[in-house]
Amino acid sequence: MGISLSALRAIELFAGLTEDELKAIVDVGKTTTYRQGDVILRKGEQSTEVYLLLGGQVEVVSELSEDATSYIILGAGQSFGEMALLDAGPRSAAIRCVSPKAEIFSFGRDDLLTFWESHCEVGYKMLFNIARDLGFKLRIRNLKQEMEGA
């Protein structure tokens, strides 16, 4: 599937990238389609990929069970798995597709780091966007915990 530049522009992780930078980064990743109920990531598994939602929705949950805590629903333009770029540690949550289908563009950590070595400005912009997104997600999680404790 060819990815349109308008789909890439909608991805928060790519905020501030030029058209040429977006065109260059397409070759680094791959696109996968998931169906409702498909498990994309499992809590605790090792993975070094970051995922960007082109369309559809996924749910971030504590565990893959009926009574799992739902942290957040992510939609088109949002990303998950960014911490794998930073620490390569085990996944801290599970992710499953909750829409009829979800189109996801993903990067392997090593491929992305190699790309950033030759495209330093892209790496800077993307890392800034990752930091901003992780800060937002942390605030949401903290607010949710405060509300549950009230």
Side-chain angles (χ1 to χ4, degrees):
M1 164 184 146
I3 301 173
S4 72
L5 286 181
S6 62
L8 293 179
R9 276 190 210 98
I11 295 174
E12 295 168 0
L13 188 61
F14 295 150
L17 269 62
T18 66
E19 188 169 313
D20 287 340
E21 291 168 337
L22 288 172
K23 287 178 183 176
I25 205 156
V26 167
D27 295 331
V28 182
K30 66 179 181 187
T31 305
T32 308
T33 301
Y34 294 90
R35 302 283 176 214
Q36 189 168 22
D38 286 351
V39 175
I40 301 164
L41 298 174
R42 295 181 188 283
K43 182 177 180 176
E45 71 184 3
Q46 284 298 134
S47 180
T48 57
E49 287 191 85
V50 62
Y51 300 82
L52 315 167
L53 279 139
L54 298 172
Q57 293 183 320
V58 300
E59 180 180 32
V60 181
V61 294
S62 58
E63 298 287 340
L64 294 169
S65 64
E66 294 286 326
D67 59 343
T69 301
S70 176
Y71 295 126
I72 194 167
I73 301 286
L74 302 174
Q78 294 183 298
S79 59
F80 57 94
E82 307 91 341
M83 290 186 61
L85 293 178
L86 305 174
D87 69 3
R91 296 298 185 181
S92 58
I95 310 284
R96 63 180 161 211
C97 180
V98 293
S99 57
K101 75 174 189 173
E103 296 289 333
I104 295 179
F105 187 59
S106 62
F107 298 104
R109 180 180 195 267
D110 292 341
D111 294 335
L112 192 56
L113 293 177
T114 298
F115 177 80
W116 287 349
E117 286 177 14
S118 59
H119 298 81
C120 295
E121 186 148 333
V122 174
Y124 168 80
K125 290 174 186 177
M126 288 179 69
L127 282 170
F128 179 82
N129 292 335
I130 288 169
R132 184 177 55 203
D133 186 55
L134 288 174
F136 171 77
K137 289 173 181 172
L138 183 59
R139 283 183 192 272
I140 295 295
R141 187 168 180 177
N142 288 346
L143 287 171
K144 188 172 184 172
Q145 287 176 341
E146 285 177 22
M147 290 172 54
E148 289 170 353

